[in-house]
Amino acid sequence: MRARIILIAIFFFSLLTLTMGQQSPWYTYDQTYYKIPTSADGIHRISAQALASSGISIAGLDPASIRLFHRGKEIAIHVQGGEDGKFDSGDFIDFFGLRNDATLDRLLYYDFD
């Protein structure tokens, strides 16, 4: 009986390990990512000038390829002016951003106020 329970536990552990290994991460190592800090919750706008001044080359930037993530999940964005397939000087990105509320840090501490 005990051997049967151990065998079942090994089976479920193997199944859990196998399914967790199949999840692909939200990032890939061969791409470049940029962090966009937000100090308040709400709608934020990123202009083409702001991207260019941050060192991002907007010359070959396809607006359809722009994606934003928050804690590993993709968030909705609105790209204005990207219909022509180019990110020009009058174009911008709108998104709803959240400020850093230390949610992930709460897991590290017992007494967190």
Side-chain angles (χ1 to χ4, degrees), residues 13-33:
F13 179 73
S14 300
L15 184 64
L16 179 66
T17 305
L18 182 65
T19 58
M20 289 182 75
Q22 292 178 350
Q23 295 177 354
S24 61
W26 63 270
Y27 58 88
T28 56
Y29 291 106
D30 60 342
Q31 293 181 339
T32 303
Y33 296 90

Side-chain angles (χ1 to χ4, degrees), residues 46-48 51 58 61 63 66 79 85-89 91-93:
I46 303 172
S47 66
L51 290 177
I58 62 171
L61 183 61
I66 298 173
V79 180
K86 298 182 289 183
F87 204 73
D88 302 317
S89 62
D91 301 348
F92 57 85
I93 304 166

